[in-house]
Amino acid sequence: MFGRKFKLFKLLGFEVGLDPSWIIIAVLIAWSLSTGLFPFQYKNLSTQTYWLMGIVGALGLFFSIVAHEFTHSIVARIHGMPMKGITLFIFGGVAEMGDEPPSAKAEFQIAVVGPLSSLAIAVIFYAIHWLGMQTGWPQPVNGVVAYLAMINGLLTVFNLVPAFPLDGGRILRSILWSWKKNLRWATRISSSIGTGFGVFLIVLGVLRVLTGNFIGGMWFFLIGMFIQGAAKTSYQQLVTRKALEGEPLKRFMNTNPVTVPASTTVEQLVEDYVYRYHYKLFPVAEDHDKLLGCVTTKQIKEIPREAWRSKSVGDLAVRCSEENTIAPEADAVEALSAMRRNNAGRLMVVEKDKLVGIIALKDMLEFLSLKVELDN
Ligand SMILES: [Zn+2]
């Protein structure tokens, strides 16, 4: 999920995108509306009419969710948070935040506008429905309007369940946060409720499947799995973040890293470095810390074996890229996200072509587990 998304449009600086999974859901919703709900509620309409109602209903739901996520994004931007955009995926929408909210008050406001906007949309559709009934609009129009009122009402209620990371869980977290001034504790409580609610939906889903309602049961099961997983990872992410935030790199930096002299042959590099230390990347340095470049196992593979003796590491070395270097003043959170982003296990700490040290993911994780253990 969130791998390849389709960009749809840009509004007020926010990019709205679709995860491919949402397209499947949109088709499923349109299908179940036009073959299930609408024919059940409104008899004697043509198949085309039911399908048209189903498609308009699914589109209406799409815009309702986008509007809901938009209000989150706008309030988050007012609070100075970097917002990446809005993506719709299988279980609804997410306003992608780049960071945790700066304060309990900000989190409360960001979270509460979502259900409020869904409620407002529901009320508007109920009013339109009422008007339509009074003035005798055609049944298909009234039917779609009634559906959109109902589904937005449902979205309001579902999002208000105090299970993190649902909006209700965020509201709960912000209240606990401002009460005890402890974000970690607040996250732990609200994400435990999130896990509990997820498990509850999973059990409900299994029961429904066992009693013969396969599709409905699968839905509960999948949504439960999603909420339960999201609750768990958001708590872990927060713990990691809080433990590593502001931690200087020197705490886990190896200040005496293995470097390769430029005169080493490729054969020696393989024998004495790659097979010995098992790293995929080595800094090429002179006088131990004057960084000349980087050499990777990928580059070695491109050299024919016959040339391993004649070619030197100096011929091979390229400028170390931004993907595998970091500045010494960066903190551990930045290092960890750079490693995640570039799928790198090690980063070279470089200051003006001088190799200050190397940090490894392994060492950071060890530090992290010690710190979390001592903090508890
Ligand atoms: Zn929301």
Side-chain angles (χ1 to χ4, degrees), residues 9 13 28 31 66 85 104 117 128 217 222 255 291:
F9 53 86
L28 261 177
W31 173 74
V66 170
S117 66
I128 297 174
L222 289 174
T255 47
L291 189 66

Side-chain angles (χ1 to χ4, degrees), residues 68-69 71-72 93 95 110-111 113-115 117-118 159 165-168 170:
H68 172 118
E69 298 306 331
T71 59
H72 285 312
I110 295 166
V113 290
S117 66
S118 291
N159 273 302
L166 297 180
D167 293 338
R170 292 186 180 275

Side-chain angles (χ1 to χ4, degrees), residues 9-26:
F9 53 86
K10 219 170 173 176
L11 190 61
L12 299 171
F14 299 115
E15 199 165 75
V16 178
L18 271 190
D19 184 82
S21 63
W22 206 85
I23 297 167
I24 305 168
I25 289 317

Side-chain angles (χ1 to χ4, degrees), residues 31-146:
W31 173 74
S32 63
L33 286 178
S34 45
T35 60
L37 186 77
F38 290 146
F40 174 75
Q41 284 184 329
Y42 311 98
K43 312 278 183 215
N44 304 322
L45 297 173
S46 69
T47 315
Q48 286 100 312
T49 310
Y50 288 134
W51 269 100
L52 194 64
M53 288 170 77
I55 291 165
V56 175
L59 274 175
L61 176 59
F62 169 81
F63 283 108
S64 302
I65 296 173
V66 170
H68 172 118
E69 298 306 331
F70 243 97
T71 59
H72 285 312
S73 301
I74 289 167
V75 179
R77 192 160 68 181
I78 291 170
H79 284 286
M81 285 178 64
M83 299 303 293
K84 291 175 192 155
I86 294 163
T87 301
L88 271 81
F89 74 117
I90 192 158
F91 300 119
V94 270
E96 290 164 66
M97 294 186 210
D99 211 341
E100 293 283 347
S103 67
K105 194 178 140 208
E107 163 137 80
F108 180 82
Q109 292 175 356
I110 295 166
V112 85
V113 290
L116 282 182
S117 66
S118 291
L119 183 66
I121 298 169
V123 169
I124 291 168
F125 277 116
Y126 272 117
I128 297 174
H129 182 63
W130 180 83
L131 189 75
M133 293 303 268
Q134 296 300 311
T135 42
W137 287 356
Q139 208 175 35
V141 179
N142 270 332
V144 173
V145 173

